[in-house]
Amino acid sequence: MLKAVILIGGPQKGTRFRPLSFEVPKPLFPVAGVPMLQHHIEACSKLPNMKEILLIGFYQPNEEINRFLSCAQQDFKISIRYLQEYAALGTGGGIYHFRDQILSGSPEAFFVMNADVCSEFPLPEMLDFQKEHGDAYSFVILGTTANRKQSLNYGCIVENEQTDEVLHYVEKPSTFVSDIINCGIYLFTPEIFQHIGTVFQKNQQDMLLEEQSNGWHRAEVIRLEQDIFTALAGQGKLYVYKTDRFWSQIKSAGSAIYASRLYLNQYHTTHPERLATNREGGPKTRVGTVDVLGPNVSIGTGVTIGAGVRVRESIILHGATLQDHSCVLNSIVGWGSTIGKWARVEGTPSDPNPNDPYAKIDSETLFRDGKLTPSITILGCNVNIPSEVIILNSIVLPHKDLNRSFKNQIIL
Amino acid sequence: MKALILVGGYGTRLRPLTLTVPKPLVEFCNKPILLHQVEALVKAGVRHVILAVSYMSELLEREMRAQEQRLGIKISLSHEKEPLGTAGPLALARELLTDNEEPFFVLNSDVICDFPFDDMLRFHQQQGREGTIVVTKVEEPSKYGVVVYEGDTGRIHRFVEKPQVFVSNKINAGMYIFSPAMLRRIQLRPTSIEKEIFPVMAEEGHLYAMELQGFWMDIGQPKDFLTGMCMYLQSVRQQAPERLRSGPGFLGNVLVDPTAVIGENCTIGPNVTIGAGVVLEDGVRVKRCTVLKGAHIRSHSWLESCIVGWSSSVGQWVRMENVTVLGEDVIVNDELYINGANVLPHKSIADSVPEPRIIM
């Protein structure tokens, strides 16, 4: 019997996803037309022995999460529960805190995944791989190849090429260690909790020796990457399953568009009904005549699109209105926003280099050399863009009425 | 009567348009700049126009032959082989200008206004002196040469070139009328009329100023070309409104050549000139622009303050603004943003130009 745990974080995490995360918890943000988490849940529910999916995070229970949970349970016919951490306990601390819940029913193994990754989820392959490597209690990390420079932004894995054992693990090194990176998707057996428990004891002892200075540095905060994998590497317990299927982090709003594209490409085989001649349209979307949408466009429900509208490489969220002749490129248009006639809303894509098969999307800093880095244009919810203006490489916070053009600015 | 028009050389300030066509032949509000002046001169009784050029253009010569026929006047070209300044060309054309005692007009070829040639003649004859200069009031006089004169008589005291402090807000409008006698003052060598000739004439009491009523603009560069267009169209609205296009989809003053084709759901104007054979596809919005002959603007594009060169093609969903000038036969691909670009002829633009620059 199998279980899956999805780490969904909390409001203090995922701040690079603002202003979109003001309206909706980041794990519920729609990517390729469905909430980010739904892609994980769908992949998990396909496994025949999957008994339960547990979401662990520190969001307060709210309407959106509850609604999502009940819909997902109905759609996928599987038990899905949200376990709220009392504080941010880290990627290891959360699962350790809820180990009894995870282990109830005695699963042989369980997946742990970060919510903010976009992946093809080769879960059956990871299960097969685990049976063939190490002993019955070994753990598997999903890895993929990055280019040398970008690997420094991820957890780096040095493997034994014959046995696929993880020999060495470093999280975000400052010098090159390996081009195999951690995808944030793991397969554990119950034995993992012994190892986390050891680290927990050690932390407690260290706490006693130190003063209680910072509130957030508690013994229960355990990070899988730095605290567990680094220690387990080279002990014959940790293995890496390498995949070359699509994978990306979703850290910034701009990477949501890139992730959408990856999933939309997958829809040709998995969900062709979600695609409609180049676009992904929901029900109750009104589309005028002579408009051109796509490639890589996701349109939410209740969106009104006027005549002669051009949308490309963008996400249009529910209830938005795009008036006649407007043009939306490389942007995310927030819920209920309006774009006036002939207006142009344009961003700059931060896509990975298409000539490099291992290039990953950059999570760039917001500013560089004192200037706003050109990136995807984001309109928060209920933003009104008047007719005939241009909004270029800008971020507009929710409920704002603009009255002129803006370029390369954050508009509060 | 005669007139000398100082056409000058390559018209570099109006590039890229003047890379294809000599400046006098660039269409301003659907008529070559030169023709605006020549037709007004003919109306005032001028029968011989002399074009002072420093760069000889076959195109110009051929066009002038055609206009001679059409207007029934004589057009000569006076070609200076070496630079003669602003006064020298008059000396070069001395023979042509002095075959009788009548006064002659001299104009700067970049000037557009409600040409007051009849008033100038009357004023000049009333004064009975050697020279009359037309002056016009401007908001920013220090960009130009300023004229200081007696308000009631018009007698000019002095000129101040680009003054640093406010001296007067009347500038030299680039239109003069002279008696042939003044030509004795000019020799055939590089001479500046403002620096060398006028000051002496003023001192001797032979130079008078006539104030221009109505609009005036030097349209020698794109920004001013568009401003002048707005002024001229406003003047057409007052004097001959039937020439302008109105109706649904047209705002303000819009001049459209009868052979142009305009699609559905377009909004054109205010202040737009559409040349012969131009095609505007559906859903196009154009404001404060000149679209030259044969250009093609594809659907849903948005243009403000632009000059679109002859036979150019602007793609779909393009946004162009901020005095973008496309030379002849330029192609702008779909969905681009062009901000203040100056694009040389026969160029294809495949990438957005978010900040003003020149595209060679």
Side-chain angles (χ1 to χ4, degrees):
Chain A
M1 182 265 263
L2 290 174
K3 289 198 186 182
V5 176
I6 308 179
L7 305 174
I8 68 171
Q12 292 91 329
K13 290 281 170 200
T15 58
R16 271 179 287 176
F17 216 70
R18 292 173 173 174
L20 298 168
S21 49
F22 287 146
E23 295 312 310
V24 101
K26 180 178 161 189
L28 298 184
F29 183 81
V31 175
V34 302
M36 200 184 293
L37 272 184
Q38 189 167 316
H39 298 278
H40 299 59
I41 292 176
E42 189 174 324
C44 292
S45 67
K46 285 203 196 125
L47 292 171
N49 295 339
M50 183 63 65
K51 269 288 164 308
E52 184 176 58
I53 301 177
L54 299 167
L55 309 183
I56 296 182
F58 50 98
Y59 287 98
Q60 296 291 5
N62 60 38
E63 221 186 282
E64 278 127 348
I65 295 184
N66 294 338
R67 206 171 338 130
F68 171 74
L69 286 177
S70 56
C71 285
Q73 291 197 90
Q74 279 191 324
D75 290 341
F76 297 101
K77 313 264 186 303
I78 185 169
S79 160
I80 309 177
R81 287 192 293 139
Y82 173 49
L83 303 173
Q84 185 193 356
E85 297 167 271
Y86 58 92
L89 297 178
T91 45
I95 58 174
Y96 185 67
H97 181 78
F98 288 112
R99 59 193 179 284
D100 293 337
Q101 308 256 13
I102 296 173
L103 293 180
S104 84
S106 304
E108 286 126 31
F110 59 99
F111 287 98
V112 174
M113 331 178 172
N114 288 343
D116 60 359
V117 295
C118 144
S119 170
E120 210 233 1
F121 297 109
L123 307 182
E125 290 88 333
M126 284 172 79
L127 283 169
D128 291 338
F129 176 88
Q130 194 240 3
K131 294 194 178 67
E132 292 156 15
H133 288 75
D135 58 26
Y137 312 105
S138 42
F139 317 125
V140 179
I141 303 181
L142 181 67
T144 191
T145 313
N147 67 32
R148 283 181 71 105
K149 190 156 154 283
Q150 289 179 325
S151 69
L152 304 181
N153 298 324
Y154 299 91
C156 297
I157 300 171
V158 178
E159 52 154 1
N160 177 321
E161 305 228 349
Q162 276 81 43
T163 64
D164 292 319
E165 190 200 333
V166 173
L167 297 175
H168 191 65
Y169 182 93
V170 183
E171 183 69 15
K172 295 191 181 51
S174 50
T175 53
F176 178 75
V177 167
S178 166
D179 59 4
I180 309 295
I181 60 168
N182 175 3
C183 291
I185 297 173
Y186 320 119
L187 177 56
F188 293 142
T189 54
E191 218 201 34
I192 191 77
F193 293 121
Q194 287 172 23
H195 297 282
I196 303 181
T198 313
V199 172
F200 176 60
Q201 310 286 1
K202 183 164 172 309
N203 283 355
Q204 282 197 314
Q205 286 174 341
D206 290 345
M207 291 282 109
L208 290 173
L209 297 174
E210 289 176 21
E211 284 172 31
Q212 284 286 359
S213 47
N214 299 328
W216 49 263
H217 191 74
R218 336 154 78 109
E220 302 92 341
V221 174
I222 300 168
R223 301 155 302 177
L224 277 175
E225 301 82 9
Q226 292 91 325
D227 300 327
I228 308 296
F229 294 159
T230 312
L232 282 180
Q235 310 281 324
K237 293 231 153 294
L238 193 55
Y239 291 81
V240 58
Y241 171 68
K242 287 191 317 217
T243 181
D244 53 11
R245 311 278 182 81
F246 73 86
W247 178 87
S248 177
Q249 272 189 329
I250 311 178
K251 291 292 186 199
S252 65
S255 47
I257 295 186
Y258 177 63
S260 271
R261 191 185 323 143
L262 296 175
Y263 281 134
L264 284 175
N265 286 340
Q266 197 193 26
Y267 281 174
H268 286 293
T269 40
T270 56
H271 284 284
E273 77 287 357
R274 288 189 189 160
L275 295 175
T277 59
N278 273 355
R279 64 184 166 95
E280 209 277 345
K284 297 180 290 187
T285 296
R286 291 211 339 269
V287 174
T289 56
V290 191
D291 54 89
V292 182
L293 307 175
N296 188 20
V297 171
S298 300
I299 301 191
T301 55
V303 167
T304 303
I305 300 192
V309 168
R310 178 85 183 95
V311 182
R312 194 182 78 204
E313 298 286 335
S314 296
I315 297 176
I316 314 292
L317 295 168
H318 314 305
T321 299
L322 274 52
Q323 293 182 354
D324 298 346
H325 318 296
S326 55
C327 186
V328 178
L329 310 173
N330 300 304
S331 300
I332 299 180
V333 176
W335 305 262
S337 288
T338 302
I339 305 209
K341 291 190 188 188
W342 280 292
R344 184 182 179 99
V345 176
E346 181 180 3
T348 302
S350 48
D351 287 358
N353 180 358
N355 294 325
D356 178 353
Y358 300 131
K360 304 283 174 270
I361 195 158
D362 271 326
S363 350
E364 294 223 348
T365 50
L366 207 51
F367 287 87
R368 195 184 14 198
D369 300 326
K371 284 212 185 132
L372 197 57
T373 315
S375 64
I376 303 290
T377 282
I378 304 168
L379 307 184
C381 83
N382 288 117
V383 166
N384 287 323
I385 307 292
S387 308
E388 304 191 33
V389 300
I390 178 170
I391 308 298
L392 177 67
N393 298 336
S394 292
I395 302 173
V396 186
L397 263 59
H399 304 286
K400 187 77 185 164
D401 279 348
L402 299 185
N403 56 13
R404 61 174 176 90
S405 295
F406 285 91
K407 295 187 214 170
N408 305 300
Q409 292 195 29
I410 300 176
I411 299 141
L412 297 174
Chain B
M1 283 223 327
K2 300 187 188 51
L4 176 71
I5 304 185
L6 301 168
V7 170
Y10 294 92
T12 59
R13 287 182 308 152
L14 210 48
R15 284 175 174 169
L17 301 174
T18 46
L19 290 174
T20 308
V21 154
K23 190 171 58 158
L25 298 182
V26 173
E27 293 98 323
F28 175 79
C29 297
N30 291 347
K31 186 192 310 196
I33 296 173
L34 191 60
L35 226 49
H36 286 269
Q37 297 182 334
V38 170
E39 285 178 5
L41 286 166
V42 170
K43 253 176 74 176
V46 169
R47 289 291 165 265
H48 186 177
V49 173
I50 303 149
L51 305 182
V53 299
S54 59
Y55 157 61
M56 211 39 167
S57 160
E58 239 186 65
L59 199 54
L60 187 58
E61 278 189 285
R62 226 177 319 136
E63 186 60 27
M64 290 305 106
R65 298 290 146 259
Q67 294 304 327
E68 270 188 325
Q69 297 267 343
R70 188 176 79 88
L71 299 165
I73 60 167
K74 183 158 162 49
I75 305 183
S76 315
L77 270 78
S78 170
H79 180 205
E80 65 190 57
K81 305 278 195 324
E82 43 151 30
L84 292 176
T86 41
L90 278 74
L92 187 62
R94 192 194 311 273
E95 308 251 320
L96 296 169
L97 294 169
T98 51
D99 66 1
N100 63 30
E101 289 302 309
E102 287 182 321
F104 58 92
F105 294 100
V106 175
L107 316 188
N108 183 327
S109 67
D110 288 344
V111 166
I112 197 79
C113 63
D114 213 350
F115 295 106
F117 298 131
D118 288 323
D119 291 342
M120 282 168 77
L121 183 58
R122 210 171 313 132
F123 182 94
H124 182 74
Q125 284 168 336
Q126 240 177 351
Q127 302 303 334
R129 303 295 178 161
E130 280 183 14
T132 298
I133 301 183
V134 174
V135 298
T136 182
K137 184 163 146 194
V138 292
E139 277 186 11
E140 294 186 50
S142 52
K143 298 202 301 207
Y144 307 90
V146 153
V147 183
V148 181
Y149 63 97
E150 256 166 60
D152 37 5
T153 60
R155 187 187 147 156
I156 292 182
H157 289 299
R158 66 185 200 283
F159 294 84
V160 186
E161 195 58 26
K162 295 189 178 49
Q164 296 295 313
V165 294
F166 185 89
V167 172
S168 154
N169 58 8
K170 307 290 191 305
I171 60 154
N172 178 350
M175 294 179 287
Y176 322 120
I177 178 168
F178 296 125
S179 304
M182 76 72 87
L183 284 171
R184 72 177 192 284
R185 302 174 181 273
I186 311 178
Q187 292 172 10
L188 186 56
R189 58 176 178 78
T191 315
S192 162
I193 205 169
E194 299 91 351
K195 295 200 175 79
E196 298 174 59
I197 311 297
F198 285 167
V200 180
M201 287 174 72
E203 194 141 334
E204 297 177 14
H206 266 288
L207 205 51
Y208 278 71
M210 186 190 98
E211 200 175 318
L212 176 68
Q213 306 302 319
F215 74 96
W216 178 90
M217 199 72 216
D218 173 337
I219 57 173
Q221 49 187 0
K223 183 160 87 73
D224 298 334
F225 185 98
L226 290 172
T227 306
M229 174 191 70
C230 298
M231 293 177 173
Y232 177 83
L233 290 177
Q234 180 59 20
S235 153
V236 171
R237 166 73 62 192
Q238 282 156 1
Q239 297 180 11
E242 66 283 358
R243 283 178 61 196
L244 299 176
R245 184 80 174 255
S246 54
F250 292 94
L251 301 175
N253 301 332
V254 178
L255 189 63
V256 183
D257 185 282
T259 59
V261 175
I262 300 186
E264 314 219 327
N265 300 318
C266 291
T267 303
I268 314 289
N271 295 318
V272 173
T273 301
I274 309 282
V278 164
V279 175
L280 260 49
E281 288 187 6
D282 295 347
V284 165
R285 176 89 181 90
V286 181
K287 296 199 268 200
R288 203 170 181 276
C289 291
T290 287
V291 183
L292 295 172
K293 228 185 286 190
H296 193 130
I297 317 280
R298 310 218 24 235
S299 44
H300 313 297
S301 285
W302 185 93
L303 278 63
E304 180 176 35
S305 291
C306 300
I307 303 178
V308 180
W310 310 269
S311 306
S312 283
S313 172
V314 175
Q316 297 183 293
W317 288 289
V318 166
R319 181 184 176 97
M320 280 188 7
E321 58 182 354
N322 196 17
V323 195
T324 284
V325 184
L326 306 184
E328 185 196 20
D329 181 40
V330 165
I331 299 179
V332 178
N333 286 3
D334 295 340
E335 299 165 29
L336 298 183
Y337 170 52
I338 312 290
N339 174 22
N342 199 320
V343 186
L344 267 56
H346 311 292
K347 190 80 187 135
S348 248
I349 313 286
D351 294 307
S352 285
V353 182
E355 290 304 316
R357 64 184 179 94
I358 297 172
I359 312 227
M360 277 212 276

